[in-house]
């Protein structure tokens, strides 16, 4: 039976974090394991924090680890988390505790939406959350599932001879259940009340409780995502970490000119590689909105990024003259094409000095200034970072290092309030690219101005530790129509042909 949508009910995400990590061989709960620089549960909580469909969050944590979650919540600024309480010894008991907490303070006849989600599913998309909440406007119970790519078999054990197939169900009707599972609070509470009268009651998920004890309540199915994996086995840790590394973050929403001006007026930006291309465009754009910009480059200011003294001088000068350094940007790079075996030592050293050691030195020298201003370091990678290819070994490998450097520093500097991000432009029309490849077809490349505008949006955002793809928009499909990880997969596949 459908429910009549009268008023927008408050929606709470309940993050179930009662696992112990035994199956992944850990001495701590698996939800506290770090993936891509953050605890698994922090990734999960951040997804609900960012969702416009979620009003507040409750965490049910493994006994003894509530203070650990409270520290994560405070440090990450997860303001929607209103309670962290201990879960029960079973999934049933944990859900019952959540139901009890959710019912506190509700007026008679008042209801709310609740989404139960596994803490160890840190790749949940915003699209799935929105679809679940929307479905609760029409139904009392909602599950999330994906088609089964594998043939499912039913077996039974025959004595000591092992297992034998007894049935092969029709795969077209089989689905693999995920979370969140979403309910009207009144419905899931009623299901558990009925279940309490069953002395054999035991369930591993909440939709099965509704299905068994409230058979007249239809359970609507929302399409899930392949990426919404559960970190359960040791191999899952590796896969999830790789997905986070390869998956780019959606481009921040662009601000209008007034917002740019308000955010940048009185701020100081230092741009290394600011002589031309993307760096010069970022410098010009930021300056037009009121920032004091120091655009530094070999051909304009004689600044060599491979020289640590030049880096120190540039930053100390900017600080001495303005009293602050809010943003440090490095777009400097060299692209040398050729077979490694035929590359001389000078070319190898140049690539390492400019593309790798220089960003490391810039990061090290920038830290004290950015820690004082609570600012951001912005680095750049290349579309080839996901897969090295012939004749690009030096460039691809050093650009891959920028992704790892970004993720490592974002975690290392989080306690100092310093954000670190990495922009990954699609093939872009810059003098460096023209020098390497000559003239290319008009319209096949991004403009450096477009990359600069997105870079500014990243600098003004609160994100940290992310790789942000900047790509030409596909006119046949808006970005909002694909999940972030669908876009990431498409981007990874496209990069097989990109530089």
């Amino acid at each position: 039976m459908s429910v009549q949508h009268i008023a927008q009910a408050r929606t709470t995400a309940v993050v179930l974090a009662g696992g112990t990590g035994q199956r992944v061989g850990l001495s701590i709960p698996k939800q506290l394991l770090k993936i891509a620089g953050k605890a698994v549960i922090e990734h999960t909580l951040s997804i609900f924090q960012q969702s416009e469909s979620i009003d507040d969050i409750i965490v049910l944590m493994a006994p003894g680890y509530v203070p650990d979650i409270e520290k994560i919540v405070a440090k990450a600024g997860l303001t929607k988390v209103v309670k962290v309480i201990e879960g029960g010894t079973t999934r049933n008991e944990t859900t019952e505790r959540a139901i009890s907490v959710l019912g506190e303070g509700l007026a008679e006849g008042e209801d709310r939406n609740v989404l139960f989600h596994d803490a160890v599913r840190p790749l949940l998309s915003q699209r799935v959350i929105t679809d679940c909440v929307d479905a609760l406007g029409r139904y009392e119970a909602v599950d999330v599932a994906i088609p089964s790519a594998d043939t499912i078999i039913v077996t039974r054990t025959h004595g000591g001879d092992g297992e034998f197939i007894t049935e092969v169900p029709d795969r077209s009707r089989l689905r693999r259940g995920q979370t969140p599972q979403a309910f009207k609070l009144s419905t899931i509470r009623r299901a558990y009340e009925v279940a309490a009268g069953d002395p054999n009651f035991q369930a591993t998920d909440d939709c099965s409780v509704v299905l068994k004890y409230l058979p007249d309540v239809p359970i609507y199915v929302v399409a899930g995502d392949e990426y919404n994996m559960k970190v359960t086995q040791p191999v899952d840790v590796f896969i999830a970490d790789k997905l986070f590394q390869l998956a780019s973050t959606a481009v921040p929403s662009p601000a209008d000119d007034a917002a740019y001006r308000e955010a940048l007026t009185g701020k100081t930006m230092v741009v290394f590689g600011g002589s031309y291309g993307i760096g010069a465009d970022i410098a010009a754009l930021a300056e037009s909105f009121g920032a004091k910009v120091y655009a530094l480059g070999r051909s304009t200011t004689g600044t060599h990024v491979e020289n640590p003294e030049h880096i120190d001088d540039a930053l100390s000068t900017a600080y001495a003259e303005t009293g602050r350094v809010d943003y440090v940007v490095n777009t400097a790079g060299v692209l040398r094409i050729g077979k490694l075996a035929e590359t001389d030592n000078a070319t190898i050293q140049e690539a390492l000095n400019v593309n790798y050691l220089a960003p490391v030195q810039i990061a090290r020298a920038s830290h004290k200034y950015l820690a004082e201003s609570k600012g951001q370091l912005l680095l750049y990678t290349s579309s080839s970072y996901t897969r090295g290819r012939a004749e690009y070994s030096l460039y691809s490998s050093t650009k891959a290092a920028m992704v790892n450097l970004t993720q490592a520093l974002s975690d290392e500097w989080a306690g100092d309030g310093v954000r670190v991000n990495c922009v990954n432009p699609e093939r872009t029309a810059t003098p460096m690219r023209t020098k390497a490849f000559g003239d290319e077809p008009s319209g096949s490349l991004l403009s450096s101005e477009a990359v600069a505008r997105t870079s500014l949006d990243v600098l003004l955002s609160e994100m940290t530790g992310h790789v942000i793809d900047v790509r030409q928009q596909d006119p046949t499909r808006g970005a909002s129509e694909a999940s972030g990880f669908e876009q990431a997969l498409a981007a990874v596949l496209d990069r097989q042909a990109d530089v």
Side-chain angles (χ1 to χ4, degrees):
M1 60 187 160
S2 298
V3 295
Q4 296 298 315
H5 185 68
I6 300 173
Q8 184 65 44
R10 189 169 186 81
T11 301
T12 300
V14 175
V15 176
L16 303 170
T20 61
Q22 291 180 348
R23 278 181 286 183
V24 290
L26 299 173
S27 59
I28 61 171
K30 54 192 174 183
Q31 54 272 25
L32 294 178
L33 178 72
K34 282 196 173 183
I35 290 179
K38 297 178 182 178
V40 170
I41 193 170
E42 183 177 342
H43 288 293
T44 304
L45 292 173
S46 295
I47 293 167
F48 288 111
Q49 174 76 25
Q50 295 162 12
S51 173
E52 295 181 358
S53 300
I54 300 298
D55 296 300
D56 47 38
I57 305 166
I58 293 174
V59 182
L60 279 294
M61 186 57 190
Y65 290 94
V66 167
D68 296 84
I69 301 302
E70 291 174 337
K71 289 178 184 177
I72 288 173
V73 168
K75 182 178 177 181
L78 299 168
T79 56
K80 288 186 181 180
V81 178
V82 294
K83 286 186 180 180
V84 181
I85 60 177
E86 285 194 352
T89 56
T90 65
R91 172 64 181 263
N92 299 354
E93 186 180 341
T94 298
T95 298
E96 288 169 347
R97 288 189 183 185
I99 291 170
S100 176
V101 170
L102 289 166
E104 294 174 359
L106 287 184
E108 185 176 352
E110 185 181 0
D111 210 347
R112 72 162 68 190
N113 299 329
V114 55
L115 276 64
F116 292 102
H117 185 67
D118 297 324
V120 288
R121 290 185 187 270
L123 301 175
L124 175 66
S125 72
Q126 294 294 335
R127 191 270 304 167
V128 169
I129 295 174
T130 301
D131 286 355
C132 285
V133 176
D134 288 347
L136 285 177
R138 295 171 286 130
Y139 301 97
E140 298 177 36
V142 179
D143 203 354
V144 173
I146 58 175
S148 175
D150 298 316
T151 296
I152 305 299
I153 61 174
V154 180
T155 68
R156 71 176 179 184
T157 301
H158 183 71
D161 294 332
E163 290 184 304
F164 294 84
I165 294 177
T166 61
E167 184 182 355
V168 181
D170 179 4
R171 191 174 67 183
S172 67
R173 298 182 58 193
L174 296 177
R175 299 292 183 269
R176 289 158 49 201
Q178 299 181 330
T179 63
Q181 293 184 332
F183 308 91
K184 290 295 182 184
L185 177 58
S186 57
T187 299
I188 191 65
R189 180 197 288 128
R190 183 157 46 96
Y192 270 85
E193 287 172 350
V194 175
D198 181 355
N200 299 315
F201 171 53
Q202 186 174 5
T204 57
D205 75 291
D206 298 309
C207 279
S208 65
V209 180
V210 173
L211 182 66
K212 182 174 181 179
Y213 297 102
L214 298 180
D216 293 333
V217 175
I219 304 172
Y220 181 76
V221 178
V222 162
D225 281 326
E226 286 286 351
Y227 305 104
N228 188 17
M229 62 178 291
K230 187 176 183 180
V231 179
T232 303
Q233 304 296 335
V235 69
D236 299 334
V237 177
F238 173 80
I239 294 171
D241 198 57
K242 266 305 173 198
L243 283 172
F244 270 110
Q245 183 187 45
L246 296 179
S248 56
T249 300
V251 174
S253 300
D256 57 25
D257 287 0
Y260 285 133
R261 191 164 288 106
E262 180 181 355
L264 289 169
T265 297
K267 299 295 177 65
T268 299
M269 180 183 296
V270 178
V271 182
F272 293 99
S275 295
Y276 53 79
I278 297 170
D281 288 336
I282 292 172
L285 193 60
E287 195 167 47
S288 72
F289 291 120
K292 174 63 176 177
V293 180
Y294 293 80
L296 308 161
R298 181 176 303 188
S299 61
T300 51
T301 62
T303 303
H304 293 245
V305 291
E306 61 271 37
N307 187 329
E309 291 183 0
H310 287 197
I311 294 170
D312 287 336
D313 289 345
L315 292 167
S316 61
T317 297
Y319 185 81
E321 293 180 358
T322 67
R324 61 189 302 132
V325 174
D326 300 279
Y327 308 107
V328 177
V329 179
N330 178 47
T331 64
V334 293
L335 172 58
R336 302 288 184 255
I337 301 172
K339 297 178 179 178
L340 184 61
E342 300 172 0
T343 304
D344 58 44
N345 287 336
T347 301
I348 293 174
Q349 196 62 53
E350 178 195 39
L352 293 176
N353 287 343
V354 176
N355 292 349
Y356 179 68
L357 292 178
V360 169
Q361 296 287 3
I362 288 169
R364 186 172 69 164
S366 300
H367 175 262
K368 63 181 179 181
Y369 301 108
L370 297 176
E372 181 178 315
S373 66
K374 308 302 180 187
Q376 182 177 161
L377 171 66
L378 186 62
L379 302 174
Y380 286 76
T381 185
S382 157
S383 56
S384 63
Y385 86 88
T386 58
R387 178 179 179 271
R389 56 181 66 86
E391 301 192 19
Y392 295 93
S393 58
L394 290 173
Y395 189 71
S396 295
S397 58
T398 53
K399 288 303 180 179
M402 291 305 98
V403 173
N404 286 279
L405 182 63
T406 295
Q407 293 169 336
L409 290 181
S410 68
D411 186 36
E412 190 174 317
W413 294 356
D416 300 320
V418 180
R419 289 162 288 129
V420 187
N421 289 297
C422 188
V423 169
N424 175 35
E426 190 179 24
R427 294 172 297 174
T428 306
T430 63
M432 181 181 76
R433 184 175 179 89
T434 301
K435 183 178 180 181
F437 296 100
D439 293 330
E440 297 176 273
S442 176
S444 67
L445 305 177
L446 270 172
S447 69
S448 60
E449 293 86 352
V451 178
R453 175 73 68 157
T454 297
S455 298
L456 205 60
D457 291 328
V458 174
L459 287 169
L460 300 185
S461 75
E462 291 302 313
M463 62 174 53
T464 187
H466 293 286
V467 178
I468 300 94
D469 265 354
V470 186
R471 306 183 65 78
Q472 289 182 308
Q473 183 65 44
D474 180 351
T476 65
R477 185 183 190 196
S480 61
E481 295 181 48
S483 73
F485 282 95
E486 286 174 335
Q487 294 178 58
L489 178 59
V492 168
L493 295 175
D494 287 347
R495 287 174 201 146
Q496 307 308 310
D498 287 351
V499 173

